[in-house]
Amino acid sequence: ILLAAVLLAGYLLATALRLHAGWRGRRWARRVGMLITNELNTRIRDAILLPLDELDAARTQLARAVRVLDNCA
């Protein structure tokens, strides 16, 4: 009876630890995923979108200058 009780207690402890590890792992993965997503969005914005915004602003400025020149001619 003692052996069966120890085996049952070990099984219950192992099951509880497995559930707890899964819960903690999901929380950790969600937190790491959010950090990676935020960092990736920041780097994409800084490395790709900001230069494109500057290029678009320069193109708009150039188009405005061309229109002024066309009106003068």
Side-chain angles (χ1 to χ4, degrees):
I1 294 177
L2 180 63
L3 179 62
V6 169
L7 288 174
L8 179 62
Y11 173 75
L12 292 175
L13 181 61
T15 302
L17 287 173
R18 181 178 51 88
L19 291 173
H20 183 261
W23 174 69
R24 294 283 307 243
R26 282 187 298 276
R27 283 183 58 207
W28 177 79
R30 195 175 312 120
R31 199 169 46 236
V32 168
M34 284 178 24
L35 288 172
I36 290 172
T37 300
N38 290 339
E39 183 66 25
L40 187 61
N41 287 338
T42 300
R43 288 187 184 218
I44 286 173
R45 185 182 64 239
D46 292 346
I48 296 172
L49 297 180
L50 285 179
L52 286 177
D53 287 342
E54 292 171 1
L55 181 66
D56 193 38
R59 192 178 65 195
T60 302
Q61 204 173 24
L62 184 61
R64 198 174 303 133
V66 168
R67 271 185 261 130
V68 168
L69 286 175
D70 284 343
N71 289 340
C72 290

